[in-house]
Amino acid sequence: MKTGLVVTAHPGDFVWRAGGAIALHARRGYRMKVVCLSYGERGESQFAWKEAGATLASVKAGRKGEAERAAGMLGAEIEFFDCGDYPLKLNDAHFDRMVDIYRELNPAFVLTHALEDPYNFDHPEAAHFAQQTRVVAQAMGHKPDAKYQYSAPPVFLFEPHQPEMCNFKPQVILNIDEVWETKRKSFEILAAQKHLWAYYERVALQRGMQGGRNSGKAMTYGEAYQRLFPMAVEELA
């Protein structure tokens, strides 16, 4: 079975920015796994903190439940690292677990954050973590007795909230028309960030229009990605 891996800083990130890719590949038979580094309990839960009697524990529990339901709707499994957010506090145990996940899953591709984001340092931190562990997973000297078959996968960076401020240039626009309704329904699970529902629908429409213009094929909804590494091909057409 082919597999795909998504490494995300907070629960909402994989829904807004990669939900279409997750649902599309899951529908096509891929085993999709989301690694969510935090519950987004400090900086990504605005509406949850406005509820009477909200505590750190209650907000974390609520966001965990939302993320699990959203991942399930999209067709993915999800694993939480609970490393805290704003800022992320990744440690050696998190690092080792991430390397193990790469080796266990041997993904065909990995999706993660843009390399820059002046508005949210958790995002490039997550991207750096995903890249570093991707490379270390190849190293025979890391847990040298381990038995695994692993090839470092191509990396696609999903679109940040303000791409023009993050040096993000879309190089791949994925047609998500056939799974758009699933992605849109997954938005509604994220009640703690309801202010973003309409915003990311507009983003999907904009990328769909651009995708149709660049491909010459009808497309209404799209997701934009930036390749981190060159793609080897045998012909250009």
Side-chain angles (χ1 to χ4, degrees), residues 10-235:
H10 315 105
D13 297 327
F14 75 85
V15 176
W16 316 127
R17 303 182 178 114
I22 294 169
L24 185 68
H25 286 84
R27 178 174 290 192
R28 295 181 180 178
Y30 281 68
R31 176 190 172 191
M32 294 300 299
K33 176 159 185 160
V34 176
V35 173
C36 193
L37 301 182
S38 79
Y39 296 121
E41 65 269 19
R42 296 185 186 276
E44 303 286 323
S45 303
Q46 291 88 331
F47 280 90
W49 280 109
K50 293 179 181 179
E51 295 180 5
T55 65
L56 189 63
S58 70
V59 172
K60 286 174 68 173
R63 294 313 309 278
K64 180 176 185 289
E66 288 180 0
E68 288 173 337
R69 294 194 302 275
M73 178 174 287
L74 295 170
E77 60 191 78
I78 189 166
E79 181 172 335
F80 300 95
F81 278 21
D82 192 15
C83 69
D85 69 327
Y86 281 58
L88 296 177
K89 300 179 181 68
L90 293 157
N91 58 33
D92 289 345
H94 297 132
F95 192 97
D96 280 352
R97 177 57 190 148
M98 192 71 242
V99 172
D100 287 347
I101 289 170
Y102 272 110
R103 290 178 172 182
E104 292 165 6
L105 200 65
N106 195 15
F109 60 86
V110 59
L111 310 179
T112 192
H113 293 270
L115 303 183
E116 300 178 38
D117 192 336
Y119 296 103
N120 192 321
F121 288 94
D122 286 357
H123 294 166
E125 177 72 12
H128 177 77
F129 178 74
Q131 293 171 68
Q132 190 176 26
T133 49
R134 167 190 174 275
V135 172
V136 170
Q138 295 181 109
M140 293 297 295
H142 181 86
K143 300 184 179 178
D145 294 328
K147 299 294 189 290
Y148 62 92
Q149 291 183 331
Y150 169 78
S151 298
V155 178
F156 296 88
L157 310 176
F158 45 65
E159 183 169 5
H161 191 66
Q162 296 194 44
E164 68 279 8
M165 296 297 296
C166 302
N167 287 322
F168 177 89
K169 294 183 179 181
Q171 296 164 336
V172 177
I173 297 179
L174 182 68
N175 186 334
I176 61 169
D177 283 357
E178 69 180 85
V179 294
W180 167 250
E181 290 303 322
T182 300
K183 177 174 179 175
R184 180 61 182 81
K185 288 178 182 176
S186 73
F187 288 4
E188 297 175 14
I189 294 173
L190 301 179
Q193 291 181 287
K194 64 180 69 175
H195 58 292
L196 294 176
W197 298 355
Y199 179 91
Y200 278 101
E201 182 166 0
R202 292 195 299 272
V203 170
L205 285 166
Q206 176 175 312
R207 294 308 186 191
M209 180 175 290
Q210 292 171 340
R213 183 180 180 89
N214 281 276
S215 68
K217 299 177 181 179
M219 184 187 307
T220 303
Y221 298 99
E223 283 179 351
Y225 294 89
Q226 183 174 348
R227 287 189 65 95
L228 190 56
F229 302 104
M231 181 173 64
V233 297
E234 296 182 2
E235 60 182 59

